[in-house]
Amino acid sequence: ILNVEQSPQSLHVQEGDSTNFTCSFPSSNFYALHWYRWETAKSPEALFVMTLNGDEKKKGRISATLNTKEGYSYLYIKGSQPEDSATYLCASPGGKLIFGQGTELSVKP
Amino acid sequence: GAGVSQSPSNKVTEKGKDVELRCDPISGHTALYWYRQRLGQGLEFLIYFQGNSAPDKSGLPSDRFSAERTGESVSTLTIQRTQQEDSAVYLCASSSDRGFTEKLFFGSGTQLSVL
């Protein structure tokens, strides 16, 4: 069983703060690393799919980096806004796509 | 359709009854997943279909759970003799990719409540 771990479990920040979370995964037989945002009462939506070591992806104020050799990915949010409040999930395949437990982000105005 | 469709959106059932959940993936998507989220927990993998290959059933929690998919179209998840611990949001997702390098598109889920 592939273990995908995320930290922290939850995070409370003020509007305007920048923040980051970590996703760790087994580095052997790496295929891809997925990031999703899951807002309350909605379905998870894909942010990034990353496949190459050293890859960096950016979408607006959100960016992600990938280190496949050491088995971790960081997700960064610059200048957090209340609408960024959601659970952020990462996933990595090990025969199927396994999700971490998520980081719950709360941004207070 | 434009997205992944799941039905019903809500299901309330009595303990011991059977339920059937339906997922209609995006047309042309070969990969289809079922996940569930129980209260306070993360997304739990249940089953994975990829084209005509044998499905990966390794996440099904007991033999009361089964799932079928006809070709690359609709999938149904059946839970027999439901128990209270089966209460959860059941999510279906589909993808166009065989190698896990394409993103998943999720349906809006079925909220199952077992009384």
Side-chain angles (χ1 to χ4, degrees):
Chain A
I1 300 291
L2 180 72
N3 288 325
V4 179
E5 305 285 344
Q6 291 188 247
S7 64
Q9 188 173 4
S10 65
L11 199 54
H12 299 267
V13 301
Q14 290 294 132
E15 181 175 356
D17 288 351
S18 292
T19 187
N20 65 86
F21 337 126
T22 303
C23 173
S24 63
F25 51 89
S27 54
S28 58
N29 298 319
F30 175 81
Y31 287 98
L33 191 284
H34 294 225
W35 281 102
Y36 292 81
R37 176 167 61 198
W38 193 359
E39 296 179 67
T40 302
K42 295 186 178 181
S43 305
E45 288 188 359
L47 290 171
F48 308 112
V49 178
M50 309 172 78
T51 58
L52 299 175
N53 184 46
D55 203 5
E56 292 188 29
K57 298 263 188 181
K58 188 175 181 181
K59 184 177 182 179
R61 294 177 291 99
I62 303 176
S63 60
T65 61
L66 180 66
N67 183 323
T68 62
K69 294 182 179 179
E70 295 183 37
Y72 65 83
S73 175
Y74 293 134
L75 188 79
Y76 300 91
I77 302 179
K78 183 178 178 181
S80 303
Q81 300 296 309
E83 58 264 32
D84 296 329
S85 297
T87 297
Y88 291 82
L89 299 166
C90 69
S92 192
K96 59 259 185 179
L97 206 56
I98 301 296
F99 283 83
Q101 293 294 303
T103 293
E104 186 177 358
L105 174 67
S106 175
V107 182
K108 292 189 176 180
Chain B
V4 178
S5 178
Q6 289 189 247
S7 61
S9 56
N10 275 283
K11 177 72 177 178
V12 180
T13 190
E14 294 179 350
K15 179 181 172 181
K17 300 283 188 183
D18 297 352
V19 296
E20 187 174 278
L21 312 181
R22 176 187 170 105
C23 173
D24 207 337
I26 292 172
S27 178
H29 278 192
T30 57
L32 187 148
Y33 291 82
W34 284 97
Y35 295 91
R36 73 175 178 182
Q37 186 192 37
R38 291 189 284 184
L39 194 63
Q41 299 188 21
L43 270 181
E44 178 185 358
F45 167 79
L46 297 177
I47 188 167
Y48 165 52
F49 295 90
Q50 175 53 275
N52 294 317
S53 302
D56 182 336
K57 303 180 180 181
S58 60
L60 295 178
S62 77
D63 59 8
R64 297 186 294 104
F65 287 71
S66 62
E68 293 184 349
R69 187 183 187 193
T70 306
E72 295 182 356
S73 61
V74 171
S75 175
T76 56
L77 177 69
T78 301
I79 309 173
Q80 295 179 311
R81 306 180 301 283
T82 52
Q83 303 295 311
Q84 288 181 334
E85 62 263 28
D86 299 334
S87 297
V89 175
Y90 288 80
L91 284 170
C92 173
S94 71
S95 167
S96 60
D97 188 53
R98 288 183 175 274
F100 308 108
T101 58
E102 294 294 326
K103 61 185 178 182
L104 297 187
F105 291 82
F106 283 85
S108 54
T110 294
Q111 174 72 63
L112 175 65
S113 300
V114 181
L115 304 179

